[in-house]
Amino acid sequence: MPRTPAPNEPEDDLDDLPDTHTPQPVYYAEQALLGALLLEPHRLTDIAGIEPDSFSNYAHGALFAAIRALPAPDAVQHTKDTIWLNAVLTAAREHARGLTASYLHTLIQVCPWPKHASAYSRMIGVDHARRTLRAHAERLAQTATDVTLPHPVPATLAEADALAAAVDDTAARFPPHSGSLPRTPAPGPAATPDDAEEAADEERLLLATATAHPADIEQMRWLTADDFTHPLHAGLWQCLTALTRRSAPVDPVTVLWEAQQRGLLTPGIEPADLLDLLGEPAGSPQYWGERILQRALLVTAHRVGHRVAAFTHDPATTPYQLIVGSRRALAELSAVRTRWHHATSPAPTPLPARTRATAPPRAGPPRTTAPPAARISR
């Protein structure tokens, strides 16, 4: 988030780039809280749940850290001199050299009511949670589309876990209450990816290869029609899965007939073209299926990241709505993630059948006396 300078802060402390952003409401909440603490330092005991990095303004965070680090002054003496204020300023300037004594007095003047310090701190905590979730969501969306990653799925899922942990942390700090779901409109459809043609080629190869090896389809329940990028390909996959589950014959002609029954032969889709598509197998269905599912997982992660980020950009979204909306979005990714693990986990090795071995005869107790003499019959 761009750093917001404090008033009277020299431009050279901001790399000679003055900030032109309009201050947001949280900026004034931060000013009010700091003014309350400077005026009545004992209010610090009412503050919980925020840290110096919770402030959107770096100088404000440095000032809060200095206030926490220094012992509170005597209440009566504090009204008579500025010794404690000077000490706070000196400590804060070690990290934010643009702070001035006049700005501290400005903070005191703009604070409406020092007794409302805890309310101001909660506003700061809410905004910090919003910014934290936004940062994690944006990293998730960016990672999901980073073509330079050698292993994009593990990196993307790690970012999803980090976002989920941030949501859980927010939920722990803001207990749930009754309320509505986020009213934020969903982001528009994503732009056509650069690899759209590659995705279509992989889907065509899967359909042709699965038609040639229908026995493999039953082992690929982890792949669904929603994972395909092209509606016709999704429909043909449903034809293949339906035929195999009915134990019906599978070849290009039977798939073509099933496609006709499902209304896939719309104008512009010629039967001969479908037969050509289904008649050029290459590789294995498992390989192409994993490629399609990987792309679906990354696309879903990108969509989830944008969705959560949209929640955080809506200032009307409450912490509770952020939590519920984010968890619902992450649940969509979790469903695809589960199927990915099913697809890529090695098949369990069947245990050998247990045979019931014949137990050796048990040895009797040792004899301690001579056996009885054999009885001689007359």
Side-chain angles (χ1 to χ4, degrees):
M1 181 172 180
R3 177 185 166 192
T4 305
N8 304 317
E9 184 172 2
E11 289 184 3
D12 60 352
D13 196 32
L14 296 175
D15 300 326
D16 298 327
L17 293 175
D19 194 303
T20 58
H21 294 85
T22 302
Q24 297 301 307
V26 69
Y27 178 83
Y28 301 103
E30 293 175 4
Q31 284 190 321
L33 173 63
L34 294 172
L37 297 179
L38 292 172
L39 186 61
E40 300 180 3
H42 69 276
R43 299 286 180 186
L44 186 61
T45 58
D46 301 332
I47 307 305
I50 62 172
E51 298 293 334
D53 62 358
S54 300
F55 289 75
S56 65
N57 180 285
Y58 178 80
H60 289 171
L63 192 54
F64 181 73
I67 293 173
R68 288 204 314 180
L70 294 174
D74 178 77
V76 177
Q77 188 65 31
H78 184 56
T79 61
K80 299 178 180 180
D81 57 45
T82 61
I83 295 176
W84 185 78
L85 293 177
N86 293 337
V88 168
L89 179 61
T90 300
R93 281 176 60 89
E94 293 180 4
H95 303 281
R97 59 192 179 93
L99 284 170
T100 63
S102 63
Y103 185 58
L104 266 63
H105 288 288
T106 298
L107 294 175
I108 294 174
Q109 292 172 356
V110 299
C111 176
W113 291 99
K115 64 182 180 181
H116 295 165
S118 60
Y120 305 145
S121 68
R122 189 179 189 281
M123 298 173 192
I124 295 169
V126 169
D127 192 78
H128 177 247
R130 190 187 309 276
R131 296 196 312 274
T132 300
L133 292 180
R134 180 183 308 148
H136 282 292
E138 290 175 348
R139 280 199 292 271
L140 172 60
Q142 181 180 7
T143 304
T145 54
D146 188 349
V147 297
T148 66
L149 294 174
H151 304 290
V153 171
T156 299
L157 294 181
E159 292 297 342
D161 290 338
L163 174 57
V167 173
D168 290 341
D169 179 68
T170 302
R173 291 187 291 117
F174 299 96
H177 57 82
S178 59
S180 60
L181 294 173
R183 298 180 298 274
T184 308
T192 303
D194 296 335
D195 63 346
E197 187 57 37
E198 179 183 355
D201 287 340
E202 292 175 351
E203 292 173 4
R204 286 191 286 265
L205 287 169
L206 168 67
L207 294 170
T209 308
T211 301
H213 304 281
D216 294 344
I217 298 176
E218 188 63 23
Q219 309 303 320
M220 297 174 61
R221 290 178 177 265
W222 38 262
L223 188 67
T224 69
D226 292 335
D227 298 326
F228 289 74
T229 61
H230 197 289
L232 174 61
H233 299 164
L236 290 174
W237 179 249
Q238 290 176 319
C239 293
L240 281 166
T241 56
L243 288 172
T244 56
R245 288 170 187 171
R246 296 200 307 261
S247 298
V250 176
D251 61 38
V253 174
T254 61
V255 175
L256 176 63
W257 186 260
E258 183 75 13
Q260 176 180 259
Q261 302 304 303
R262 291 173 175 264
L264 298 180
L265 300 184
T266 57
I269 300 178
E270 298 295 335
D273 294 335
L274 284 187
L275 289 175
D276 290 341
L277 183 155
L278 297 172
E280 299 180 357
S284 70
Q286 177 81 18
Y287 173 79
W288 298 118
E290 287 185 13
R291 294 279 298 175
I292 293 168
L293 183 57
Q294 173 177 308
R295 180 175 283 104
L297 186 149
L298 297 176
V299 168
T300 302
H302 183 263
R303 182 170 61 247
V304 168
H306 270 296
R307 181 64 171 149
V308 175
F311 293 152
T312 66
H313 281 291
D314 185 352
T317 305
T318 67
Y320 175 73
Q321 291 174 323
L322 273 176
I323 295 165
V324 175
S326 298
R327 282 178 170 169
R328 288 203 171 192
L330 285 167
E332 178 186 357
L333 177 57
S334 179
V336 184
R337 180 179 191 168
T338 299
R339 293 192 288 113
W340 170 257
H341 285 312
H342 283 308
T344 57
S345 299
T349 304
L351 296 176
R354 298 182 61 182
T355 58
R356 187 172 183 179
T358 303
R362 295 180 59 185
R367 293 183 181 274
T368 56
T369 60
R375 185 176 182 181
I376 300 174
S377 60
R378 293 184 180 179

